[in-house]
Amino acid sequence: MSRNPYVREVPRTTWYMRNRRYIRYMLREVTCVFIGLYAASLTVGLVRLAQGPGEWAVYVNGISSPSGLLFSLLALGFACYHSISWFNVTPKAMRIPRGDDFVPGPAIISAHYIIWGVVSLVFLLMMGVL
Amino acid sequence: METIESDVVIVGAGGAGLRAAIALAEADPGLRVSLLSKVYPMRSHTCAAEGGAAGVAGADDSMDLHFNDTVGGGDWLCDQDAVDFFINEAPKELTRLDHWGCPWSRDKDGRVSVRPFGGMKIKRTWYAADKTGFHLLHTLFQTSLQFESIRRFDEVFTTDLLVVDGKVQGCCAVEMRSGEMKQFLAPAVILCTGGGGRIFPFTTNGAIKTGDGMALAYRAGVPLKDMEFVQYHPTGLPATGILLTEGCRGEGGVLRNKDGYRYLQDYGMGPETPLGETVLKTMELGPRDRLSQAFWHEQQKGNTVPTKWGDCVLLDMTHLGEKKIHERLPFVQELAHAYASVDIVKEAVPIRPVVHYMMGGIHTDINAATPLPGLFAAGECACVSINGANRLGSNSLTELLVFGKRAAESAAEYVRSAAPKTDRAAADQQASAAEARVRALFERTEGAETMTAIRNAMTHTMETGAGIYRDEAMLTDTVNTLADLRSRRSGIALRDKSKVFNTEFTQLLELDNMLDVAQAVAVSALARKESRGSHQRLDYVERNDDTYLKHSMAHYQGEDAPRIDYLDVVITKSRPGVRDYSGAKS
Amino acid sequence: MSQRQITFEILRYDPETESEPRFQAYCVPCEEEWVVLDALNYIKDNLDGTLSYRWSCHMAVCGSCGMMINGEPMLSCKAFVRDFPNGGSIRVEPLTHFPIERDLVVVMDDFMDKLQAVKPYVIPKKKRTVEDGTYKQTPKQLHQYQQYSMCINCMLCYAACPQYALAPDFIGPAALALTHRYNLDSRDHGRPQRQEVVAAHEGVWECSFVGACSEVCPKDVDPAGAIQQMKIASTVDWYLEHLMPWRRK
């Protein structure tokens, strides 16, 4: 047999280093780790709150410490990256008919930002920050 | 050598081949169909057709009108019984395509849209934006995937027909990825291999269009009919030869010379029509042969625009507006932008005539049968003839459907009733001889000849001697050059000795085919001492119906030039008349 | 005339004499308007007749000439040499994620099988005859699926998809986009039959929405969009089936 097709192996662990698209994708995926950690931290806070004022104070001290703040900031950054990267691809998954055509992508993306802004505003109002 | 037995072998899996395969599978699922192609089906050149497919659709149209346009457009060299059959089947075939999923462009009410096309008196060209051939090919290919009786052999190069006792018994083909020769035994073979525009240097045709099926049939003793009729499409991009569809003009695009003047009015296609209004069969909606010839005259007068890639005229669509261009001609916009750096919304694009289509081909009758029992042909490789001396735009996509199906029906009928029993020993012997010939190509010793040099010399002599305008001296020179090139081709050695996907080897086979086809074109053109349709002689400027209302038949003579004889044209109801594209309102 | 000398580094592989591919460099005098395919043809005609690659139409519609050009999957007939950095060489490799048959030619069997697996043809509710005439399909209905019917099967999306590389059973972008194309066609009623493939693990759920397929698509087909839309539709199916069993037909 003269044929002998050559198969190029894909590196199983470092495949995403091959191009910037994959790196960008991995970065988007990795944001969930930080969002998950932040959610876990919030859950711990709830438990501490239930345990009493002493435990709650310890928790509040913990998250107000420099390292706690740094973590929150990092988590916020990743949450923003996560939201923005997903907002930007929503038009692919959502095709909303309008006339003979579809609602253009930028309009769908903008709508997401507007909703994000409104929801954030409502929360901040409810919490009395504003 | 592996042997594959089937009932019908189809060589070529473009529009015609796929249509034939589907027709066979639908007619009788018990028929074993082998579908061979030197490329994957969706690579076939049908995909490059842009404008549309003609078929009577509207209430204002009639079979007679389509008939008259086709026969007049073909300068009365069409067989009128075949044209009659063709136009009657056309709407049915296009309707079937709709049922199979072809994304035809639609009117608001959901009915299929039709657009105007050159040489057509009524709007009857069905289209899928400006990618009609692409959609047609993919629709057929995808539809064919549901039939188990169709066995595909992709990327096999057919080298020989097996003919025993004057009857076809199958063919031999080299599987490109292994380099192995395979024998395909079948009582019926349908050739659907397309045209051979690659014999010219400047063509809209893809690299694969090398006249392979024409050469196969020709060498097996089937005459090639009307080979001198080669269509130049008036609007090709310079440098690449990429086609800008006739739909550009159908939608209202106009042709201008270097002074911005719409020169077609000087060549019997006037009076000038108002910008943005199309008048059927007038000015830019004249037939392709007339438009390409007008270019030649403008070039002689020095009215063309010189470019790095030769003289051009301008195709102006700026008045159509962005919306219409985006909706109807998106592919043209993309092509002009990518390959000519021109935004057609804002500026006119330089274009020139470019070899596009061969009206001639393997001689078949109205049933798509060749004179060789068991051999059928359809599509551009065949000549029925419905195109005569000049094909009208949008008739060819329909032709490959109508006659692809017809060939399948004829082949099925032949297999059922008249097919001979396979003479296995004789077929094996021929296959072995074919394999030995192929092997011998690899054993040639290197000499001075190169494939590139011979191919370039061939395309050059075809353009200079057998182009838009021809005369005795030019053609004689071309005929002599081709004879010389044919005698030199055996001196080409293969440097690539690999069996796996050896494209130097397939190119050599293709060059062989092209040289045979090119010679048939040039010799037929030299013999036809008149001007008709796309065949224009400077030394015989008039049409001569007394002598040449006949099909030329080129018969293969081995290393010698072909012998030419003639066959009467079938005339049923339309006597030869004057081709009038002067805006006459008859 | 504006000519540029460009070095092309081309991945060569002869399965009969070599155990693995190697790069070979060719210096080509390129015209300003040339695409990479023109340079390959120049090499084939003038420098080295043994170079193998697929091509035909030279107008980005036959889908033959997909290659990795400087690491990006591209149609070589649409990759203009003027768009590459001056002075640098251009690296040409066969489409990644496919086995190399020889030189720039890849083995397409897997892709062809997947294309067939998704039943890419109209499956009508009731067989229609020619006498019934054409279907009525409004421009709006046409628009629903038109974008997904533009695929030229060039396989650039498979070369871009990291998921296809890691899980070769994945049906993949082009074939799934084609599935979506037929599902959305008003003439078709075959979606239930195609769901077997679409909703299976190797179907839409193997896609992790990297989106590279849509970025490299030369025809703006947007397979990533098609796949996400099918994920949503499949999810809706699942909920309808499990939460509202009375709605099952």
Side-chain angles (χ1 to χ4, degrees):
Chain A
M1 197 63 195
S2 43
R3 290 185 69 207
N4 184 21
Y6 183 85
V7 177
R8 289 161 287 180
E9 290 301 331
V10 177
R12 290 272 136 183
T13 48
T14 56
W15 61 267
Y16 53 86
M17 301 300 285
R18 282 188 299 162
N19 79 34
R20 61 187 160 69
R21 267 190 210 106
Y22 300 168
I23 295 173
R24 220 168 54 207
Y25 158 76
M26 282 309 258
L27 207 60
R28 186 188 80 196
E29 297 295 296
V30 118
T31 55
C32 69
V33 174
F34 288 86
I35 292 167
L37 285 175
Y38 190 77
S41 145
L42 272 184
T43 315
V44 170
L46 278 177
V47 173
R48 291 284 179 262
L49 189 61
Q51 284 168 343
E55 280 77 5
W56 172 244
V58 173
Y59 174 73
V60 171
N61 275 337
I63 58 168
S64 318
S65 69
S67 55
L69 280 175
L70 185 71
F71 169 71
S72 292
L73 218 60
L74 211 60
L76 180 68
F78 275 108
C80 287
Y81 182 80
H82 182 90
S83 308
I84 292 166
S85 60
W86 278 108
F87 283 3
N88 288 344
V89 293
T90 44
K92 289 198 183 304
M94 298 175 75
R95 291 215 306 175
I96 306 165
R98 190 177 69 185
D100 279 355
D101 215 322
F102 298 99
V103 176
I108 295 177
I109 296 171
S110 313
H112 278 82
Y113 280 104
I114 291 167
I115 294 169
W116 189 20
V118 169
V119 170
S120 303
L121 210 65
V122 168
F123 264 95
L124 291 174
L125 281 172
M126 279 167 63
M127 290 164 64
V129 178
L130 292 177
Chain B
M1 189 185 322
E2 188 188 354
T3 299
I4 295 108
E5 289 189 60
S6 38
D7 296 303
V8 181
V9 166
I10 302 170
V11 182
L18 287 165
R19 182 66 190 91
I22 294 170
L24 286 165
E26 283 193 328
D28 182 355
L31 282 174
R32 296 162 302 165
V33 180
S34 294
L35 180 57
L36 279 56
S37 173
K38 67 174 177 177
V39 290
Y40 279 90
M42 59 280 184
R43 314 301 186 215
S44 308
H45 202 64
T46 306
C47 74
E50 296 171 13
V56 170
D60 57 344
D61 202 358
S62 74
M63 296 297 171
D64 276 345
L65 291 172
H66 192 184
F67 177 93
N68 290 337
D69 285 345
T70 301
V71 172
D75 221 347
W76 281 271
L77 199 69
C78 317
D79 280 347
Q80 296 181 9
D81 55 345
V83 174
D84 233 345
F85 173 76
F86 164 72
I87 52 152
N88 277 291
E89 290 298 308
K92 298 182 204 165
E93 278 302 304
L94 299 179
T95 301
R96 282 189 186 99
L97 252 292
D98 175 62
H99 297 174
W100 292 336
C102 184
W104 295 121
S105 292
R106 305 281 174 162
D107 291 335
K108 277 264 173 271
D109 63 0
R111 282 187 307 192
V112 173
S113 290
V114 284
R115 68 165 34 138
F117 237 64
M120 298 281 191
K121 200 178 172 62
I122 306 281
K123 288 203 266 184
R124 62 169 74 94
T125 298
W126 305 36
Y127 62 100
D130 54 359
K131 295 185 182 178
T132 313
F134 161 78
H135 284 301
L136 192 140
L137 179 70
H138 282 249
T139 300
L140 287 170
F141 170 58
Q142 288 158 14
T143 299
S144 80
L145 292 175
Q146 66 193 280
F147 299 104
E148 283 174 14
S149 60
I150 302 172
R151 191 169 164 202
R152 261 194 5 256
F153 296 86
D154 301 323
E155 299 192 325
V156 299
F157 197 109
T158 304
T159 62
D160 291 82
L161 290 172
L162 301 174
V163 183
V164 180
D165 293 336
K167 286 177 176 152
V168 162
Q169 300 271 287
C171 65
C172 287
V174 176
E175 183 184 55
M176 288 165 67
R177 65 185 184 182
S178 65
E180 300 294 338
M181 181 74 102
K182 291 178 188 294
Q183 183 187 29
F184 291 87
L185 291 180
V189 174
I190 307 176
L191 295 174
C192 303
T193 53
R198 281 270 153 185
I199 59 175
F200 287 86
F202 193 67
T203 172
T204 60
N205 285 197
I208 57 175
K209 295 197 62 187
T210 50
D212 304 326
M214 292 180 183
L216 278 177
Y218 183 47
R219 288 197 287 259
V222 179
L224 296 181
K225 191 198 296 176
D226 293 339
M227 291 300 282
E228 62 273 39
F229 298 99
V230 175
Q231 179 167 75
Y232 277 75
H233 196 293
T235 57
L237 287 181
T240 52
I242 289 172
L243 171 73
L244 298 187
T245 170
E246 193 157 309
C248 296
R249 284 170 285 128
E251 298 297 344
V254 299
L255 293 177
R256 301 180 188 279
N257 66 16
K258 74 174 196 313
D259 306 315
Y261 175 69
R262 291 173 64 192
Y263 59 90
L264 293 178
Q265 58 193 295
D266 296 350
Y267 301 96
M269 285 172 277
E272 185 174 344
T273 50
L275 204 59
E277 278 176 42
T278 51
V279 178
L280 291 148
K281 285 180 94 164
T282 307
M283 288 295 285
E284 282 80 10
L285 290 181
R288 290 174 179 173
D289 56 341
R290 289 287 174 84
L291 265 65
S292 296
Q293 288 149 19
F295 168 87
W296 186 89
H297 289 290
E298 284 292 294
Q299 192 178 27
Q300 301 298 308
K301 291 182 195 165
N303 288 342
T304 46
V305 184
T307 74
K308 180 179 168 188
W309 304 99
D311 293 336
C312 289
V313 286
L314 299 167
L315 174 60
D316 184 1
M317 291 169 275
T318 53
H319 52 281
L320 300 182
E322 186 161 9
K323 186 171 180 292
K324 188 167 184 180
I325 285 174
H326 194 70
E327 186 182 303
R328 305 280 180 89
L329 304 165
F331 194 34
V332 169
Q333 193 176 15
E334 177 193 329
L335 291 171
H337 177 71
Y339 296 101
S341 301
V342 169
D343 179 358
I344 58 169
V345 174
K346 298 197 181 110
E347 46 187 330
V349 55
I351 49 94
R352 57 163 279 189
V354 38
V355 168
H356 184 54
Y357 187 87
M358 297 178 77
M359 271 67 74
I362 302 163
H363 169 48
T364 76
D365 62 16
I366 190 172
N367 298 316
T370 74
L372 178 62
L375 187 68
F376 305 84
E380 190 181 348
C381 75
C383 179
V384 182
S385 152
I386 62 147
N387 298 314
N390 171 59
R391 175 177 70 83
L392 289 191
S394 74
N395 265 352
S396 67
L397 284 182
T398 313
E399 180 187 4
L400 55 82
L401 296 170
V402 170
F403 287 96
K405 175 163 178 279
R406 189 82 198 97
E409 288 164 350
S410 300
E413 175 63 27
Y414 176 80
V415 169
R416 273 195 292 267
S417 61
K421 272 201 76 69
T422 312
D423 183 344
R424 191 59 200 268
D428 283 353
Q429 202 177 12
Q430 283 193 22
S432 301
E435 189 177 28
R437 265 199 312 281
V438 164
R439 288 285 139 248
L441 295 178
F442 285 84
E443 273 134 40
R444 289 178 182 172
T445 45
E446 202 148 336
E449 303 295 356
T450 69
M451 192 138 58
T452 307
I454 291 190
R455 188 172 54 224
N456 289 348
M458 170 190 71
T459 58
H460 179 74
T461 193
M462 288 306 286
E463 171 151 278
T464 51
I468 300 177
Y469 278 92
R470 305 154 170 185
D471 71 17
E472 180 98 23
M474 296 193 289
L475 280 166
T476 307
D477 189 44
T478 296
V479 165
N480 291 338
T481 305
L482 288 172
D484 175 52
L485 293 174
R486 284 183 86 230
S487 69
R488 283 163 52 193
R489 63 181 163 178
S490 57
I492 303 170
L494 289 173
R495 269 166 297 166
D496 189 345
K497 307 290 182 193
S498 174
K499 292 181 84 175
V500 178
F501 221 96
N502 185 334
T503 48
E504 192 185 36
F505 160 68
T506 48
Q507 279 189 343
L508 182 60
L509 296 179
E510 289 172 339
L511 180 62
D512 257 354
N513 293 338
M514 285 193 287
L515 283 168
D516 288 354
V517 168
Q519 191 177 38
V521 171
V523 173
S524 304
L526 181 61
R528 185 176 286 272
K529 294 179 169 48
E530 65 158 353
S531 289
R532 183 188 295 271
S534 69
H535 173 70
Q536 292 293 313
R537 295 273 305 239
L538 294 165
D539 44 355
Y540 300 95
V541 295
E542 297 296 327
R543 193 174 80 194
N544 177 353
D545 289 327
D546 293 339
T547 317
Y548 290 108
L549 187 58
K550 288 186 168 72
H551 300 296
S552 339
M553 310 287 267
H555 302 263
Y556 184 69
Q557 304 293 312
E559 288 309 300
D560 295 332
R563 172 174 60 82
I564 308 288
D565 58 19
Y566 294 91
L567 180 73
D568 284 338
V569 172
V570 178
I571 298 205
T572 56
K573 53 189 175 191
S574 174
R575 297 301 310 167
V578 178
R579 296 173 75 202
D580 184 6
Y581 298 100
S582 62
K585 308 297 173 279
S586 63
Chain C
M1 289 295 162
S2 44
Q3 253 190 12
R4 264 168 72 186
Q5 293 286 333
I6 298 177
T7 303
F8 286 82
E9 291 174 45
I10 297 176
L11 197 69
R12 303 291 312 268
Y13 173 58
D14 180 352
E16 288 186 300
T17 58
E18 293 168 322
S19 59
E20 59 180 27
R22 66 192 158 84
F23 279 99
Q24 187 167 354
Y26 300 92
C27 194
V28 180
C30 293
E31 301 284 343
E32 173 67 20
E33 314 57 8
W34 272 14
V35 290
V36 169
L37 176 60
D38 294 319
L40 293 178
N41 286 340
Y42 181 89
I43 295 168
K44 178 93 180 155
D45 287 349
N46 302 294
L47 305 178
D48 185 351
T50 68
L51 179 67
S52 276
Y53 51 97
R54 295 187 175 106
W55 76 287
S56 177
C57 76
H58 200 295
M59 56 190 279
V61 71
C62 80
S64 309
C65 68
M67 296 166 194
M68 306 302 288
I69 300 174
N70 282 355
E72 270 288 291
M74 298 173 96
L75 293 177
S76 63
C77 71
K78 232 188 155 185
F80 287 85
V81 295
R82 60 174 178 246
D83 295 338
F84 293 92
N86 231 326
S89 62
I90 297 177
R91 183 173 272 236
V92 186
E93 297 163 81
L95 278 184
T96 190
H97 305 164
F98 292 96
I100 306 175
E101 187 77 74
R102 157 150 191 209
D103 295 344
L104 299 172
V105 177
V106 295
V107 181
M108 290 172 54
D109 296 5
D110 184 53
F111 173 73
M112 297 303 285
D113 290 346
K114 283 170 176 164
L115 212 54
Q116 182 145 15
V118 300
K119 302 186 191 253
Y121 35 81
V122 168
I123 302 174
K125 200 179 221 166
K126 180 173 145 278
K127 196 150 171 58
R128 209 174 162 94
T129 65
V130 168
E131 289 68 38
D132 298 332
T134 55
Y135 286 94
K136 280 230 154 80
Q137 183 169 68
T138 61
K140 186 178 176 177
Q141 288 173 316
L142 169 67
H143 210 68
Q144 289 292 321
Y145 70 88
Q146 198 171 26
Q147 180 179 21
Y148 307 115
S149 72
M150 298 297 182
C151 172
I152 60 172
N153 300 165
C154 65
M155 313 191 302
L156 299 192
C157 52
Y158 284 75
C161 176
Q163 209 56 29
Y164 177 63
L166 295 169
D169 285 340
F170 179 34
I171 293 290
L176 286 170
L178 195 60
T179 316
H180 198 44
R181 173 247 178 278
Y182 280 99
N183 285 347
L184 291 177
D185 192 322
S186 59
R187 295 166 289 192
D188 179 82
H189 291 83
R191 182 163 174 265
Q193 294 187 43
R194 292 185 200 104
Q195 271 309 92
E196 275 175 49
V197 179
V198 168
H201 184 66
E202 313 77 58
V204 290
W205 300 111
E206 192 69 74
C207 166
S208 56
F209 202 2
V210 179
C213 52
S214 296
E215 287 181 52
V216 302
C217 178
K219 295 284 145 181
D220 296 323
V221 172
D222 192 10
I227 295 172
Q228 308 325 308
Q229 290 161 38
M230 283 196 286
K231 281 182 188 169
I232 294 173
S234 295
T235 309
V236 171
D237 278 359
W238 192 88
Y239 277 107
L240 287 179
E241 196 177 319
H242 288 85
L243 300 179
M244 294 192 266
W246 60 90
R247 287 198 41 161
R248 280 164 85 173
K249 281 182 229 153

